[in-house]
Amino acid sequence: MPQLSSGGGDDLGANDEMISFKDEGEQEEKIPENAFTERDLADLKSSLVNESEINQSPNTAQAVRRGQQGEHRVFQDKHREHLDGVSKQQDGGMYKSPAYPGYPFLMLPEPYLPNNSVSPSSNKVSVVQQSHGMHALTSLLPYSNDHFSPSPPHLPTDMSQKTGVHRHQSQDLSGYYSLPPGGVGQITPSMSWFPHSLMLGPSGVHPTGIPHPAIVPSSGKQEHDQYDRGMYMKPQVEVKREKEPKKPVIKKPLNAFMLYMKEMRAKVIAECTLKESAAINQILGRRWHALTREEQAKYYELARKERQLHMQLYPTWSARDNYGKKKRRKREKQQDSNTDPGSPKKCRARFGLNQQTDWCGPCRCVPDVRPFSVQPGCCRPIKPPRCFSHLI
DNA sequence: TCGCCTTTGAAGTAA
DNA sequence: TTACTTCAAAGGCGA
């Protein structure tokens, strides 16, 4: 299996820390989602109501999470080990024997599945559809075989012009995303759900003429709108955009957790009747940690392919390109204005979870145990976080 | 109208 | 190399 020249260490899972969910309260076995749901709902609703109270009371659940951090690396190593195994298995023929039932790619229209893959129609596993009617993983679909040809004719000739940027052209990706000959131009009616506006309009179209949801106009909130809702945008809207051409922004490929969120968000919303994303994301964060290694691995693998495809399509793109696209956060501005150069910074980050005795009072007292989060009065003069997770 | 919230992970920057 | 920052999605909410 070809690895990106960059290596990046992002083989399947993340290189850096991955919080272990295996601990006293949460054993390795998968926790039934339904078991979460009611508790999630109750907790979150309760916490939403009693937010201020929550922030003042450390809780045992948070302490449990502290303990989890300790086992983190052990799990990480094992996890990587497992992922390597998965990778090797897939090397011999990606998806010939899907390691993960219900693997998101099974939602792909059949013509876009590898020859030997299981037909989606034969798969009984239900995958939650996106809130906008698009599966989270359909962002991969616009890619075509052409993108993986050794010398893609559509690729800009300056793909290597960007200083220091050269992206490996993985050739056997085509095996992952076997598409009908002819590429995008011959996208079949099975992709009728695919946005025609994206196919036709200049907005959201890769310079090569190939549409990709990662390309959006560069204008604040519209980025989001275009990215997803744009899938269903009427051509009329596109016409307006044509009149005001904006330089398209190529968005970052989604990481494993983001893919998971996209897939599961609708389900959580349905189960919990919650709409506030901040709360939903906390639930999803918990569920993410509750996933088995195998379940997480499929998202890591998927994210890796996303990145590979992204690199194939946009070889000169860098995450740096999008830096500064968003306006600077108020919190950061505030931090700048209040920062005392001589004051100790981010004691949680400095001393880590294993040296909590070195933490300042606020950091020790506040239930939030994320290693790099900071508390008001100590590391960063930020607004206290809305704590939905004190009961988690 | 737009930034914040909240999550994890990838990638970038700075020291 | 380490520490830290930014951005990716989402939608309600507040300024």
Side-chain angles (χ1 to χ4, degrees):
Chain A
M1 182 171 184
Q3 296 299 321
L4 299 178
S5 58
S6 60
D10 60 351
D11 215 353
L12 289 174
N15 275 344
D16 53 359
E17 297 194 354
M18 191 164 68
I19 299 174
S20 167
F21 54 83
K22 187 174 63 175
D23 204 342
E24 322 160 11
E26 295 176 284
Q27 298 304 317
E28 188 175 18
E29 59 187 347
K30 185 186 178 183
I31 299 174
E33 287 188 352
N34 287 344
F36 269 115
T37 306
E38 290 186 4
R39 192 183 62 182
D40 290 341
L41 181 59
D43 290 353
L44 288 168
K45 286 185 176 176
S46 169
S47 60
L48 282 167
V49 173
N50 301 312
E51 182 181 319
S52 57
E53 182 181 344
I54 289 161
N55 286 335
Q56 297 171 359
S57 56
N59 58 83
T60 55
Q62 289 290 333
V64 168
R65 291 191 66 188
R66 283 190 187 98
Q68 293 173 359
Q69 308 283 338
E71 301 179 1
H72 185 116
R73 294 199 176 276
V74 175
F75 169 78
Q76 184 184 359
D77 290 341
K78 291 180 180 177
H79 182 69
R80 187 174 297 131
E81 221 172 71
H82 163 76
L83 293 176
D84 287 342
V86 171
S87 179
K88 286 173 185 173
Q89 176 187 358
Q90 292 173 341
D91 281 349
M94 206 63 168
Y95 310 128
K96 281 182 181 176
S97 176
Y100 317 110
Y103 191 79
F105 279 131
L106 296 178
M107 296 298 291
L108 294 173
E110 289 196 35
Y112 303 94
L113 287 170
N115 294 336
N116 297 326
S117 64
V118 177
S119 165
S121 57
S122 65
N123 188 286
K124 302 296 180 184
V125 179
S126 65
V127 177
V128 176
Q129 290 295 319
Q130 295 314 288
S131 56
H132 297 300
M134 183 188 82
H135 190 274
L137 310 171
T138 54
S139 60
L140 289 167
L141 293 177
Y143 301 111
S144 78
N145 254 359
D146 287 352
H147 301 93
F148 312 122
S149 59
S151 303
H154 67 277
L155 286 177
T157 54
D158 64 340
M159 64 176 285
S160 301
Q161 290 177 0
K162 194 168 185 175
T163 309
V165 176
H166 174 71
R167 289 185 158 175
H168 174 70
Q169 298 294 309
S170 175
Q171 296 186 17
D172 61 356
L173 275 175
S174 55
Y176 306 167
Y177 307 101
S178 201
L179 299 180
V184 172
Q186 294 186 15
I187 287 178
T188 68
S190 64
M191 291 186 74
S192 58
W193 47 266
F194 195 81
H196 297 291
S197 59
L198 277 179
M199 288 180 162
L200 299 174
S203 176
V205 176
H206 186 261
T208 63
I210 297 168
H212 187 269
I215 304 182
V216 297
S218 57
S219 60
K221 201 106 184 179
Q222 273 191 340
E223 290 180 12
H224 292 172
D225 293 342
Q226 181 68 10
Y227 190 81
D228 275 350
R229 295 166 200 161
M231 292 294 193
Y232 307 96
M233 202 77 75
K234 294 180 179 179
Q236 195 174 3
V237 180
E238 291 299 324
V239 171
K240 285 187 177 179
R241 294 228 164 91
E242 283 181 12
K243 293 179 181 178
E244 301 172 1
K246 293 173 181 176
K247 188 179 180 181
V249 173
I250 300 170
K251 311 208 92 177
K252 291 175 67 172
L254 303 187
N255 63 35
F257 180 70
M258 287 292 151
L259 291 170
Y260 172 75
M261 282 213 310
K262 286 201 81 173
E263 182 179 337
M264 299 303 295
R265 172 177 297 278
K267 188 177 181 180
V268 171
I269 290 174
E271 289 175 352
C272 303
T273 64
L274 279 170
K275 287 188 176 180
E276 194 170 349
S277 289
I280 292 167
N281 291 351
Q282 286 204 338
I283 292 175
L284 289 169
R286 290 166 54 185
R287 292 189 176 186
W288 174 253
H289 290 301
L291 290 179
T292 64
R293 299 170 194 175
E294 289 76 17
E295 288 168 328
Q296 284 190 345
K298 77 178 183 184
Y299 292 99
Y300 283 116
E301 177 67 13
L302 190 65
R304 189 181 63 82
K305 294 192 193 82
E306 271 272 321
R307 290 194 300 275
Q308 282 186 333
L309 289 169
H310 198 274
M311 282 189 288
Q312 292 288 331
L313 276 183
Y314 319 116
T316 60
W317 181 88
S318 162
R320 180 187 181 186
D321 297 348
N322 289 359
Y323 276 35
K325 298 291 183 188
K326 289 182 177 179
K327 290 188 177 178
R328 204 171 177 211
R329 291 182 180 182
K330 191 184 292 181
R331 185 168 66 184
E332 301 302 326
K333 292 179 183 174
Q334 191 179 12
Q335 175 190 350
D336 274 2
S337 60
N338 296 341
T339 297
D340 176 5
S343 65
K345 291 181 180 179
K346 307 176 184 61
C347 66
R348 288 187 179 202
R350 286 178 58 197
F351 301 113
L353 293 168
N354 294 330
Q355 300 181 50
Q356 294 186 23
T357 52
D358 291 327
W359 289 8
C360 65
C363 280
R364 273 180 298 193
C365 292
V366 178
D368 185 348
V369 296
R370 291 176 57 205
F372 299 116
S373 66
V374 293
Q375 301 308 323
C378 166
C379 307
R380 284 192 274 187
I382 60 172
K383 178 182 174 182
R386 298 181 66 186
C387 181
F388 300 114
S389 59
H390 73 295
L391 295 175
I392 296 172

